[in-house]
Amino acid sequence: MSADMILFNGKIHTIAKHKQQVTAVAIKDGKFIAVGNDGDILAFSGSSTKIVDLNKKRVVPGINDSHIHLIRGGLNYNLELRWDGVPSLADALRMLKEQVDRTPSPQWVRVVGGWSEFQFAERRMPTLAEINAIAPDTPVFILHLYDRAFMNRAALRAVGYTKDTPAPAGGEIQRDESGEPTGLIIASPNAMILYSTLAKGPKLSLAHQVNSTRHFMTELNRFGITSVIDAGGGFQNYPDDYQVVSELNEQKLLTVRIAYNLFTQRPKQELEDFQNWTNSVNVYQGDDMYRHNGAGEMLVFSAADFEDFLQPRPDLADNMEEELERVVRLLVEKRWPFRLHATYNESITRFLNVFEKVNRDIPFAGLPWIFDHAETIDERNIERVKALGGGIAIQSRMAYQGEYFTDRYGKKAALQTPPVKKMLEMEVPVGGGSDATRVSSYNPWVSMFWLTAGKTVGGLKIYDADTVLTRETALALYTRGSAWFSNEQQKKGDIQVGMLADLAVLNRDYFEVSDEEIKGIESDLTVVDGKIVYAKGDFSSFSPPKIPVLPDWSPTNSYNGYYSATTHRGSEQSKLANGNASASLLAKVHVCTGSCNVHQHNHDAVRTSNIPVNNYTAFWGALGCSCFAF
């Protein structure tokens, strides 16, 4: 039997152990048919076999994000200016100004999650004054995690927020001394004000949503992501907002496998939502590329304990148990898997009380169910999860909020946020994920840096030797571990004969690079369902045809999602790369390398001059540039 494709001469990592080193794989009809050494695998070649020399590169099973918001993210990806990974606020503001200049009226410029001020060299957020100076007329909406959003004056006008606008329940519109909105909206205690305000902005046309979703999937493929579980989301209605991915699947254009959960959208009408869905949607309906996966992550609005660590832990409503029980009882009766957003141990205790009560009447009996997040779950509640047959999907939210959590609860508490090692020791299923795109970045290698180095994106060490994971374990959570959460552990998550042929060929060896270099890992070649969906560098000749970005003014056209020095800095980066050692050092210290389009200072010209700038903390003052002022 000849293979459709053979990849050989690689360093192939498998989750299951092999007696010999694996250097090659053979693929046919979307599955691995042989895994072994070059000689054995090349024997499967035929006249039509595509043969790929891996050039000794590291290969890993396809990355599976067990909690992401791909469907909603895809519909909006081409509208969003991503600050994910941008190293300085000066760079971020430059990007903002450039995008404001190219965005036509009445469109907004939106920065929607995936960043933390601690990633910036300046260690601060933008100010409303800076945003208004950059964009006096174009609406700008900048979402910071799920705690706040910055809106310039044009955005306030666009949504109609005035002195007389009342704040919605659970949110705050910050006002000045005269009562006028300043432009800062705050989630307290939940994020509904952020969801609802963002939803007021213009949407892409259906054709552009299709294009946007395809580009977002390509961006995920860039990092080796081949599967995801979509956790639903606010203002993500079924079936309308699922039309794009459904049609792309019918046209065989999905490049990421999607298992989707249904997320209730109507407070106080949650039971009705799930009654309708359980009567019209069959569990796991679909195929290996696009399939239903159950209910959640929102089951009832009264059970939402949002993770804003800038605020005290929210107390859930007294009627939460009654509302949650009705929905969970229905789901167990209908044998629908479910997942529930659960940040705090106090909330988890109450949720488990409900689950155990339902289980006494209607046994879960192996029905898959999931807690999402679980940052502060304790050992007793992990035991209760295990007893009910549940799993815990953990995400890299602490990589972006670890500083806030540590400030509020202390270093000792932060050591176990979440207690992943304890979960694994107690043999509870654990899957890795991001909660992208609004809270964390979708880049899984940042998540694996967080799990293995124990640091936030800002460099704060929050875990120690007793709580960090090995690199092998972290990768296993993002592959075999995540497969459990869509009940697909027998068919995906490893490079094994008979499993779905999904893999990533990495640009750096995950097992050999330094901790800091993990964050810079990308895929040079990504294979989904036995087909090459992404290729660059040595493998560029295998790259699928490029599609244009629509609309042409989209930030995706200029910045292509997650920060890359090559795409964001252009020729300036090349000059530095070929320059002297001092220029390279200064670039690392001061990060932004091009002209500052906010304050009209050419940072690079100054840094490569003979001016002594050894006092890096005073650099901005000495040279008259406020970009680095705190």
Side-chain angles (χ1 to χ4, degrees), residues 419-471:
V420 183
K421 267 193 172 179
K422 181 61 65 177
M423 298 172 190
L424 294 173
E425 289 169 2
M426 298 173 68
E427 299 181 333
V428 170
V430 180
S434 64
D435 203 8
T437 57
R438 294 182 177 177
V439 178
S440 306
S441 176
Y442 45 78
N443 184 341
W445 303 102
V446 173
S447 299
M448 280 182 256
F449 164 78
W450 160 71
L451 286 169
T452 59
K455 295 180 181 180
T456 67
V457 294
L460 177 67
K461 182 82 171 177
I462 53 175
Y463 307 141
D464 61 16
D466 293 328
T467 50
V468 295
L469 303 183
T470 67
R471 296 189 187 186

Side-chain angles (χ1 to χ4, degrees), residues 154-351:
L156 290 173
R157 292 193 296 269
V159 300
Y161 284 173
T162 68
K163 186 175 184 178
D164 300 321
T165 303
E172 176 187 344
I173 300 174
Q174 188 188 71
R175 302 176 190 276
D176 61 21
E177 293 179 354
S178 65
E180 295 290 346
T182 63
L184 184 66
I185 56 176
I186 300 171
S188 177
N190 64 58
M192 187 53 64
I193 188 173
L194 307 180
Y195 281 141
S196 58
T197 305
L198 182 58
K200 295 176 185 291
K203 291 180 171 60
L204 290 172
S205 67
L206 179 59
H208 287 185
Q209 286 179 339
V210 170
N211 181 273
S212 177
T213 299
R214 293 186 68 185
H215 278 284
F216 186 39
M217 289 189 295
T218 298
E219 174 74 349
L220 297 179
N221 298 150
R222 170 187 166 193
F223 295 100
I225 295 174
T226 60
S227 289
V228 302
I229 304 176
D230 187 282
F235 294 85
Q236 183 175 319
N237 293 287
Y238 183 83
D240 294 351
D241 290 327
Y242 293 69
Q243 176 185 353
V244 168
V245 290
S246 180
E247 291 182 358
L248 285 173
N249 185 49
E250 291 173 3
Q251 298 164 17
K252 306 297 183 185
L253 292 175
L254 289 184
T255 63
V256 176
R257 301 183 191 274
I258 303 171
Y260 63 91
N261 286 74
L262 295 181
F263 179 118
T264 186
Q265 299 293 322
R266 302 182 299 168
K268 304 302 181 184
Q269 298 182 65
E270 300 97 336
L271 181 62
E272 182 181 343
D273 278 344
F274 288 114
Q275 285 172 332
N276 291 336
W277 291 335
T278 55
N279 287 329
S280 61
V281 180
N282 295 323
V283 175
Y284 301 135
Q285 72 178 32
D287 54 36
D288 288 335
M289 289 302 298
Y290 179 62
R291 68 201 293 265
H292 170 258
N293 195 52
E297 66 178 295
M298 181 78 80
L299 298 180
V300 293
F301 279 81
S302 57
D305 65 340
F306 282 98
E307 73 291 349
D308 182 0
F309 299 131
L310 285 171
Q311 299 286 340
R313 176 180 60 83
D315 290 321
L316 300 180
D318 292 339
N319 65 340
M320 181 276 293
E321 282 84 353
E322 179 183 353
E323 294 182 355
L324 182 61
E325 181 183 341
R326 287 199 296 265
V327 169
V328 172
R329 189 172 293 274
L330 170 71
L331 296 172
V332 178
E333 286 176 347
K334 298 284 190 175
R335 306 303 294 169
W336 259 47
F338 63 89
R339 63 194 307 159
L340 181 61
H341 174 111
T343 301
Y344 298 97
N345 191 62
E346 292 84 354
S347 306
I348 290 169
T349 297
R350 293 176 63 182
F351 300 155

Side-chain angles (χ1 to χ4, degrees), residues 314-581:
D315 290 321
L316 300 180
D318 292 339
N319 65 340
M320 181 276 293
E321 282 84 353
E322 179 183 353
E323 294 182 355
L324 182 61
E325 181 183 341
R326 287 199 296 265
V327 169
V328 172
R329 189 172 293 274
L330 170 71
L331 296 172
V332 178
E333 286 176 347
K334 298 284 190 175
R335 306 303 294 169
W336 259 47
F338 63 89
R339 63 194 307 159
L340 181 61
H341 174 111
T343 301
Y344 298 97
N345 191 62
E346 292 84 354
S347 306
I348 290 169
T349 297
R350 293 176 63 182
F351 300 155
L352 285 167
N353 291 343
V354 172
F355 297 170
E356 289 166 347
K357 180 180 178 182
V358 173
N359 181 62
R360 286 192 291 270
D361 297 334
I362 314 170
F364 282 23
L367 179 71
W369 68 272
I370 304 161
F371 274 141
D372 285 303
H373 318 310
E375 274 85 1
T376 69
I377 191 172
D378 67 12
E379 187 170 340
R380 171 61 186 134
N381 279 339
I382 298 173
E383 291 175 349
R384 296 171 72 190
V385 171
K386 181 179 180 181
L388 282 174
I392 301 174
I394 59 103
Q395 296 80 41
S396 52
R397 303 190 310 180
M398 286 292 289
Y400 298 84
Q401 303 186 66
E403 287 85 354
Y404 296 148
F405 187 96
T406 301
D407 286 346
R408 180 169 292 278
Y409 298 107
K411 294 181 179 178
K412 184 177 179 180
L415 282 171
Q416 301 283 349
T417 51
V420 183
K421 267 193 172 179
K422 181 61 65 177
M423 298 172 190
L424 294 173
E425 289 169 2
M426 298 173 68
E427 299 181 333
V428 170
V430 180
S434 64
D435 203 8
T437 57
R438 294 182 177 177
V439 178
S440 306
S441 176
Y442 45 78
N443 184 341
W445 303 102
V446 173
S447 299
M448 280 182 256
F449 164 78
W450 160 71
L451 286 169
T452 59
K455 295 180 181 180
T456 67
V457 294
L460 177 67
K461 182 82 171 177
I462 53 175
Y463 307 141
D464 61 16
D466 293 328
T467 50
V468 295
L469 303 183
T470 67
R471 296 189 187 186
E472 290 83 356
T473 300
L475 181 61
L477 296 188
Y478 259 93
T479 51
R480 289 290 286 157
S482 291
W484 183 91
F485 291 78
S486 57
N487 198 26
E488 295 178 287
Q489 60 269 39
Q490 303 306 317
K491 65 170 68 173
K492 68 165 66 167
D494 203 355
I495 298 174
Q496 295 292 326
V497 172
M499 284 195 164
L500 299 173
D502 303 339
L503 59 80
V505 182
L506 306 182
N507 65 344
R508 305 179 189 184
D509 192 329
Y510 168 64
F511 297 105
E512 295 182 3
V513 298
S514 68
D515 286 346
E516 289 297 324
E517 288 177 295
I518 292 174
K519 292 181 290 186
I521 290 175
E522 296 184 13
S523 178
D524 277 348
L525 182 79
T526 304
V527 173
V528 177
D529 197 36
K531 303 175 184 66
I532 295 172
V533 297
Y534 180 86
K536 67 178 182 181
D538 293 342
F539 307 102
S540 295
S541 61
F542 298 109
S543 178
K546 305 293 184 184
I547 61 171
V549 176
L550 301 175
D552 58 5
W553 52 264
S554 165
T556 305
N557 235 346
S558 301
Y559 306 114
N560 192 34
Y562 195 92
Y563 177 85
S564 165
T566 302
T567 57
H568 283 62
R569 299 181 188 175
S571 59
E572 295 292 344
Q573 177 65 16
S574 300
K575 292 175 186 176
L576 277 177
N578 296 321
N580 58 39

